[in-house]
Amino acid sequence: MLKQLAEVASRGPVSRLDDGRWLVRDPEHIREVLVARRLNYTKDTPVYRATRGLFGEGLLNASGPAWRARRDIAQPALRAVDLDAVLERTGRELVTDLRSGGVSRDISGPVRSATARVLTRALFGDAREELALQWSEVVRVRAETGAAVPEGVHDGIRRALAEAPGTPMLAAMASHLSGEALVFEVATLLFAGTDTTASSILWTLHLLSEHPEVEFVALDRAGRRRVLHEALRLYPPAWCLSRRVEHADTLAGVTLPAGAEVLVSPWVTQRLPSLWPDPERFDPSRFLRPPLPFSWFPFLGGPRRCVGAAMAEQEALSLLDAVLSAFHMRGHALFPVAPEAGLTLRPRGGLWMLVQPRS
């Protein structure tokens, strides 16, 4: 799919795929879809319909006033977390996990477990990583196959909510939501906060392993953010999103009929040579200046920019610092790395690395 999108993007700013969908490539037209004309570009698309039974009308799927109300609930809830304490503890555990697994290993499992621990500790007060990991797999299967949502799929989340103490994050959400509305919002956070953050960490470690001249732990915070932002440019976890055209519209001189499905792809736009010279090259110095709006949008943009973006960035930087302060990470010659474009952008088959303790 990634190669197909790149080929279609070469045809022009708005181009049609063989399956009838349309790809919008350039920042000015992406802004029209996501911001200026967003009311005409809805989430009534197959992937969102497939997940509606999982997330209800939570933050991911809601629109209009309902979405704004959910966003106004989620933002203060995320700010209520004592994230520093959670990250310090989880970072130590991740280092222990990596130290106990041998030099040659797939690190994707420990990293995903760590991001699952961060979120479940913030929500429930203790680590329920298995719940978050199982839920992420349920979401992936339903979204990628269109399979029906099985009965009782939310039972684990309901039990966790019933047993959890009143953490500041959960209390902030529960003051506005109850019953199934709270279940759906927690389900949204469990998915959004596990796989996407893990993906950003894994891709950053992969790129740094290929560029040992970039010494992450020696950089200041601004330099580390530039490294992470460049990794998110090359390998955005949310690599593609879709919208439905409600009423016929024209973009870049191309008429999009009512009912058409439109794709916007950070993977495509963030690799355009016209925006990013030598786009395949890993170069954190690109972010010494702010990028043009919607030339870089791994957290999307406009009103529907990911409300957890700041938390995800803090988490990724903290866990990267913990890992890279403890280990030299080198690529594994026997396991080449390639992206797999599923619900999120992952390293296909995991990420095998040589994990060598620093002396």
Side-chain angles (χ1 to χ4, degrees):
M1 184 62 178
L2 297 175
K3 289 182 179 179
Q4 181 187 4
L5 285 178
E7 192 278 324
V8 172
S10 69
R11 302 175 192 171
V14 179
S15 303
R16 193 178 188 195
L17 283 74
D18 293 341
D19 61 13
R21 293 180 295 177
W22 296 83
L23 176 67
V24 178
R25 183 192 70 185
D26 292 348
E28 61 267 33
H29 303 122
I30 293 170
R31 183 183 177 279
E32 293 295 314
V33 171
L34 297 183
V35 181
R37 309 185 205 176
R38 66 184 182 277
L39 297 181
N40 193 42
Y41 292 86
T42 72
K43 286 191 166 185
D44 186 21
T45 64
V47 68
Y48 288 109
R49 288 196 293 270
T51 59
R52 192 155 286 135
L54 299 172
F55 302 128
E57 289 302 316
L59 190 62
L60 185 68
N61 285 329
S63 59
W67 163 79
R68 191 172 298 277
R70 292 299 179 90
R71 183 200 62 180
D72 291 345
I73 293 168
Q75 285 180 327
L78 291 169
R79 289 196 293 267
V81 181
D82 181 9
L83 197 57
D84 288 338
V86 171
L87 289 174
E88 182 179 356
R89 179 180 179 185
T90 309
R92 290 196 305 268
E93 292 169 346
L94 177 55
V95 168
T96 299
D97 288 348
L98 291 174
R99 186 169 283 132
S100 64
V103 172
S104 174
R105 64 173 305 176
D106 175 12
I107 67 168
S108 59
V111 170
R112 289 184 71 236
S113 291
T115 58
R117 280 188 213 125
V118 169
L119 188 58
T120 54
R121 279 182 172 137
L123 270 171
F124 304 124
D126 58 5
R128 295 172 180 256
E129 62 201 79
E130 288 308 313
L131 173 63
L133 294 172
Q134 289 167 3
W135 180 248
S136 292
E137 187 63 14
V138 166
V139 175
R140 185 193 67 78
V141 171
R142 297 303 174 278
E144 294 177 6
T145 67
V149 177
E151 186 176 350
V153 72
H154 296 95
D155 286 351
I157 296 174
R158 293 189 186 98
R159 285 193 296 271
L161 287 170
E163 298 165 2
T167 64
M169 183 177 184
L170 194 55
M173 295 174 65
S175 65
H176 298 279
L177 300 170
S178 61
E180 291 303 281
L182 180 59
V183 170
F184 283 135
E185 212 59 73
V186 169
T188 300
L189 290 172
L190 286 177
F191 164 68
T194 299
D195 273 2
T196 53
T197 307
S199 176
S200 68
I201 293 170
L202 290 171
W203 286 119
T204 303
L205 290 172
H206 163 63
L207 288 165
L208 287 171
S209 75
E210 291 194 323
H211 297 273
E213 74 278 5
V214 179
E215 186 62 32
F216 184 86
V217 294
L219 299 173
D220 61 14
R221 182 169 180 82
R224 294 178 183 189
R225 289 183 76 239
R226 289 193 292 272
V227 168
L228 178 62
H229 287 188
E230 177 69 343
L232 288 168
R233 180 187 72 82
L234 286 165
Y235 297 102
W239 59 279
C240 190
L241 64 144
S242 60
R243 295 290 187 267
R244 181 182 186 272
V245 183
E246 289 295 300
H247 305 286
D249 197 8
T250 301
L251 285 178
V254 176
T255 298
L256 301 174
E261 185 177 351
V262 167
L263 303 180
V264 170
S265 173
W267 167 272
V268 166
T269 302
Q270 293 172 183
R271 290 171 177 259
L272 289 177
S274 58
L275 299 172
W276 303 95
D278 195 6
E280 302 296 326
R281 179 169 52 91
F282 175 68
D283 181 8
S285 70
R286 299 179 197 271
F287 290 90
L288 286 168
R289 297 179 181 178
L292 294 172
F294 292 102
S295 65
W296 181 84
F297 59 115
F299 301 110
L300 306 187
R304 298 207 68 136
R305 187 176 189 268
C306 174
V307 296
M311 179 176 174
E313 184 171 298
Q314 182 183 351
E315 180 181 349
L317 290 172
S318 179
L319 295 181
L320 283 166
D321 180 57
V323 170
L324 293 170
S325 294
F327 305 104
H328 294 287
M329 309 291 282
R330 297 291 178 259
H332 202 304
L334 298 179
F335 297 92
V337 180
E340 181 177 38
L343 193 56
T344 58
L345 192 69
R346 293 181 176 187
R348 181 180 291 118
L351 182 62
W352 284 80
M353 303 198 80
L354 300 176
V355 182
Q356 300 169 318
R358 290 180 180 267
S359 57

